[in-house]
Amino acid sequence: MAAMATDLPQQPVATSVEPSNMNSGVKVLAESTDLKSIPSEFSFVNEPTGSNSDSIPIIDFSLLTSGNPDQRSKVIQELGKACEEWGFFVLVNHGIQETLMKATIDRSLEFFDLPEEEKRKYESKHVSDPIKYGRGSVITTSDKKIFLWRDFIKSYVHPEFHCPDKPQNFREIIFEYAERSRFVARTLLQGISENLGLEEGFIEEALKLDSMFQLFAANYYPPCPQPDQAIGLPPHTDHGLLTFLIHNEVAGLQIQHNGKWFNTNSPQNSILVNTADQLEIFSNGRYTSVKHRAVVNNQSTRISVVIPNGPAPDAIVGPASPLVQRDGRPLYRPLKYIDYVETQLSNPVDGKVNLDYAKIQDN
């Protein structure tokens, strides 16, 4: 029996804005020769980064596709443990060519170097726009508005493909990178399904993964004169199943583990993967959607490319029925995925508000 989706609460919208001192976005503001301190609109209080001797788990993707059943069984157990205990892992030997990953980063950087009038063609007018360019986005907290130290471009790339026409070959490169990422994501999800003890093909059918939703996002974080007083992205969780992140080898992603924030480090040509909200919901809480944030620095521009991989837009996502039977009750209410996405994109960095709403509270 199909569960009915629950409507999500309305949230304030995160918009791209133009205060008087940043008419052309954070990139242009950061390139100002007379910039010695950040404008007050960017002031953000960061929780301190802790020292942590633990290291993020490393998952060898090649063992998932190995013909050796013992190796495959071992890596599936490691994958499940990483999703349960960390919500993050470093993926190596994933089969996506290093040249393609570099081209994806390089073309993303070239997009931000385009003339401002070219980029403004993609300024978002509605949260459901398939391509969105943002400059100096603002988030609304309970008591004030805060500007983020980043520019970004986002586009829906599956099941329908959208991408800016420039720079040259941008569309072709993003199409190929998204396609190859999709294969890797579906293979990981098959391993995750096995780790959860679900029947073969269950997750594919339940979440309609042939039409899985993918979003491409490139984030531009220029050097900041006061990096300890600004933020690229505040603490948040992601809306999908698995999020892939690559970058230009400039650190900036921090994750929360055991109540502390610490830096992530990843080998060259690896992918940082985090479990996201829909996987926590689908697993009935076995897996964790962990908060993470993007901090900035005063030395180098950081570029990150993020691919959230989610269920089909029209999929109704709730805890997997075999897990509910095993656990005795569902811990989350079912929600239509695209509604969840667009609600979170309207205010994408408000902690875990959607996930918290999806949880069924004890009476």
Side-chain angles (χ1 to χ4, degrees), residues 61 78 84 88 98 102 157 159 162 186 196 230 252 267 269-270 281 290 301 310 320 332 346 355 362:
F61 182 81
E78 293 172 350
E84 288 180 23
F88 260 87
E98 186 173 0
K102 185 177 185 304
V157 291
H162 303 269
R186 292 185 68 166
L196 290 171
N269 198 37
S270 64
I281 292 170
V290 173
T301 293
Y332 303 83
S346 72
L355 191 57
D362 292 329

Side-chain angles (χ1 to χ4, degrees), residues 13-324:
V13 174
T15 55
S16 179
V17 296
E18 296 185 7
S20 58
N21 52 12
M22 53 165 298
N23 292 329
S24 299
V26 177
K27 181 177 185 294
V28 173
L29 175 65
E31 291 171 351
S32 303
T33 56
D34 59 345
L35 184 68
K36 306 300 181 186
S37 61
I38 60 171
S40 60
E41 297 96 334
F42 289 89
S43 181
F44 184 87
V45 178
N46 284 296
E47 296 177 11
T49 304
S51 58
N52 197 311
S53 59
D54 296 334
S55 57
I56 299 176
I58 296 176
I59 300 297
D60 187 338
F61 182 81
S62 66
L63 301 183
L64 267 179
T65 56
S66 167
N68 185 318
D70 292 336
Q71 287 184 333
R72 176 175 166 78
S73 177
K74 182 174 182 293
V75 77
I76 285 175
Q77 290 179 4
E78 293 172 350
L79 180 60
K81 185 177 180 181
C83 292
E84 288 180 23
E85 298 182 0
W86 281 81
F88 260 87
F89 56 89
V90 177
L91 191 67
V92 298
N93 298 325
H94 44 70
I96 301 177
Q97 303 96 320
E98 186 173 0
T99 52
L100 177 59
M101 296 172 70
K102 185 177 185 304
T104 301
I105 293 290
D106 290 346
R107 291 299 183 276
S108 298
L109 180 58
E110 288 175 17
F111 173 85
F112 292 106
D113 286 336
L114 291 172
E116 198 60 36
E117 59 270 20
E118 181 66 33
K119 292 182 287 187
R120 285 191 182 192
K121 293 178 182 177
Y122 304 106
E123 284 188 330
S124 177
K125 297 176 178 61
H126 190 273
V127 68
S128 62
D129 290 346
I131 303 178
K132 307 175 185 70
Y133 167 59
R135 299 168 296 131
S137 300
V138 59
I139 60 163
T140 303
T141 65
S142 58
D143 58 347
K144 64 177 179 177
K145 293 181 178 180
I146 299 170
F147 292 81
L148 305 181
W149 196 263
R150 72 157 185 167
D151 294 338
F152 67 86
I153 181 69
K154 297 179 180 179
S155 60
Y156 295 172
V157 291
H158 198 264
E160 294 182 358
F161 181 77
H162 303 269
C163 186
D165 296 323
K166 296 180 181 178
Q168 186 176 7
N169 297 332
F170 194 35
R171 288 176 60 86
E172 293 81 2
I173 288 169
I174 299 310
F175 182 89
E176 184 177 359
Y177 180 65
E179 183 178 51
R180 293 182 181 274
S181 296
R182 203 155 54 245
F183 168 77
V184 173
R186 292 185 68 166
T187 305
L188 287 171
L189 288 169
Q190 289 168 6
I192 283 170
S193 184
E194 288 185 40
N195 179 258
L196 290 171
L198 301 174
E199 292 182 1
E200 184 176 354
F202 183 92
I203 195 170
E204 298 266 337
E205 182 177 348
L207 303 181
K208 303 180 180 180
L209 294 186
D210 284 342
S211 300
M212 73 184 304
F213 177 83
Q214 274 188 313
L215 173 74
F216 162 83
N219 299 300
Y220 183 98
Y221 305 102
C224 176
Q226 296 173 294
D228 58 332
Q229 298 180 34
I231 192 72
L233 273 175
H236 66 283
T237 62
D238 294 339
H239 52 70
L241 294 163
L242 294 172
T243 301
F244 291 1
L245 183 145
I246 60 174
H247 54 78
N248 64 337
E249 299 184 21
V250 176
L253 178 68
Q254 296 184 339
I255 71 171
Q256 193 176 62
H257 181 62
N258 292 333
K260 296 180 179 179
W261 289 101
F262 72 100
N263 297 311
T264 61
N265 297 305
S266 54
Q268 187 173 358
N269 198 37
S270 64
I271 299 174
L272 279 165
V273 182
N274 66 274
T275 57
D277 293 357
Q278 302 306 303
L279 198 53
E280 179 170 328
I281 292 170
F282 183 78
S283 69
N284 207 30
R286 278 174 173 74
Y287 296 159
T288 303
S289 183
V290 173
K291 284 188 179 182
H292 48 286
R293 65 186 182 184
V295 298
V296 294
N297 70 84
N298 59 7
Q299 299 293 325
S300 304
T301 293
R302 178 172 180 260
I303 292 280
S304 70
V305 169
V306 181
I307 300 277
N309 302 277
D314 64 345
I316 306 298
V317 183
S321 53
L323 301 182
V324 173

